[in-house]
Amino acid sequence: MPRITVTVDGVKYEEDVEPRLLLVHLLRERLGKTGTPIGCDTSNCGACTVMLDGKSVKSCSVLAVQADGCDVVTIEGLGTNGANGSMHPMQRAFHEEHALQCGYCTPGMVMAAIDLLRDDPEPSEETIRQGLEGNLCRCTGYCNIVRAVRRGAQEMGQAVSTS
Ligand code: FES
Ligand code: FES
């Protein structure tokens, strides 16, 4: 069985994995990262989206062995931890704009939203909708999600410009 080394949310893990093991199963079942949900079995919904070396990927369509030597960030690694831990600006924006109902799509939406800002830090509504087209919200709360991404983008821009 291949042994891989992968850093997840800042912690380095060495794991023996079957070649067919999916990254999402490694995250959830071996590393306890259940904040990353599985929402389909067709690589369609985007609920399982995480960052792999800084780019958003659907972790159900990546093999764990492909993450060997990589840096993975899940929704659980976004905010700052500790007793007074705080949310990432995009997480806070989703909270403040009521951009979730059941919340099942939210981890993937937040990760995809952060990724789309790499290309366009001040995205239009159209750009946001295009950037999130691989992520489905079964509660259909898209209006508030778009508002949240715009707000998150503004706050992230301010965080950068004041740092
Ligand atoms: Fe990965 Fe749906 S669980 S895309
Ligand atoms: Fe329920 Fe999006 S908030 S699936």
Side-chain angles (χ1 to χ4, degrees), residues 55-115:
K55 292 185 187 152
S56 66
V57 296
K58 293 179 177 179
S59 59
C60 71
S61 60
V62 175
L63 293 168
V65 289
Q66 292 176 291
D68 187 23
C70 295
D71 190 41
V72 176
V73 179
T74 77
I75 192 73
E76 297 176 52
L78 268 190
T80 54
N81 295 319
N84 298 315
S86 61
M87 289 186 275
H88 183 281
M90 190 60 77
Q91 288 175 300
R92 201 165 47 241
F94 269 66
H95 172 68
E96 287 171 1
E97 294 292 341
H98 308 289
L100 54 138
Q101 293 171 62
C102 77
Y104 209 84
C105 69
T106 310
M109 286 285 184
V110 169
M111 304 311 277
I114 293 169
D115 193 23

